[in-house]
Amino acid sequence: MAEKHLVVQGAICMCNFGTIPDTLKVLTHQKEYVNDGKGVKKMIASTMDLGPTFEKNTFGICTKIRGTCAASVVEWKDFYKEIVLSNGGQVLLEDSVGTCPIGGSGCIRIVHHGQFAEMGMQNFKQAKPDVQNLLNPVADINDMLKKNRTHDGLITS
């Protein structure tokens, strides 16, 4: 699989015939998360997320019907077939497209996958110390990686 992001709850979607984006809600499970250590925000979206699965359930004014859109997905295409989630669905990717009963096949696209980068200990471990010292000369990256550092008598890990 090429470097593509998995789609998660909070992804921004847009219809080719709508006027405003809407936010994807994962309503089909509460088990599989990605990039969410506490497992509370970033549920993985799947092909089972069908029907009115958006926060506002509208993409604004639909140019096909010349009226208010009632967003509904009847099918997802271009998903990752190698993983099946507990709900029986396959994982949506950032280039997956949805089918609307009014707009047709592939009219709903994912504008942003919903993931955001967060710094973690792994980032510090993989950082090059000489580059980090140039970017932030006040902090010593090697010192940050030491376990059981003390600060004013407090032990941290």
Side-chain angles (χ1 to χ4, degrees):
M1 177 173 86
E3 291 291 323
K4 295 180 187 176
H5 289 91
L6 303 181
V7 176
V8 297
Q9 177 156 306
I12 306 298
C13 298
M14 183 72 191
C15 177
N16 294 338
F17 304 105
T19 55
I20 59 171
D22 202 354
T23 305
L24 183 70
K25 288 177 66 177
V26 175
L27 304 171
T28 57
H29 72 85
Q30 292 187 344
K31 292 183 179 181
E32 288 101 356
Y33 294 83
V34 67
N35 291 344
D36 182 9
K38 295 181 182 176
V40 294
K41 295 188 288 188
K42 301 293 180 184
M43 288 178 282
I44 301 172
S46 76
T47 55
M48 298 304 286
D49 291 302
L50 301 171
T53 188
F54 301 98
E55 279 187 5
K56 297 175 185 163
N57 288 318
T58 184
F59 292 115
I61 302 300
C62 177
T63 58
K64 282 263 192 181
I65 61 171
R66 300 191 200 300
T68 303
C69 163
S72 183
V73 180
V74 294
E75 177 185 31
W76 288 101
K77 293 183 179 179
D78 303 328
F79 47 87
Y80 188 58
K81 297 176 178 134
E82 302 300 317
I83 298 175
V84 178
L85 300 180
S86 62
N87 64 4
Q90 281 127 334
V91 177
L92 297 183
L93 299 170
E94 61 187 319
D95 60 350
S96 297
V97 292
T99 299
C100 168
I102 304 296
S105 180
C107 69
I108 299 172
R109 66 189 187 286
I110 297 161
V111 178
H112 187 271
H113 47 74
Q115 294 191 56
F116 295 95
E118 294 181 12
M119 291 292 290
M121 185 53 74
Q122 191 65 25
N123 298 103
F124 283 108
K125 289 178 181 177
Q126 294 175 343
K128 295 180 180 178
D130 53 337
V131 173
Q132 292 304 312
N133 287 338
L134 289 172
L135 294 173
N136 188 0
V138 177
D140 181 6
I141 190 100
N142 293 320
D143 185 47
M144 291 178 161
L145 293 173
K146 291 180 184 174
K147 291 188 177 188
N148 297 327
R149 299 178 303 148
T150 60
H151 180 71
D152 292 337
L154 299 175
I155 298 176
T156 60
S157 57

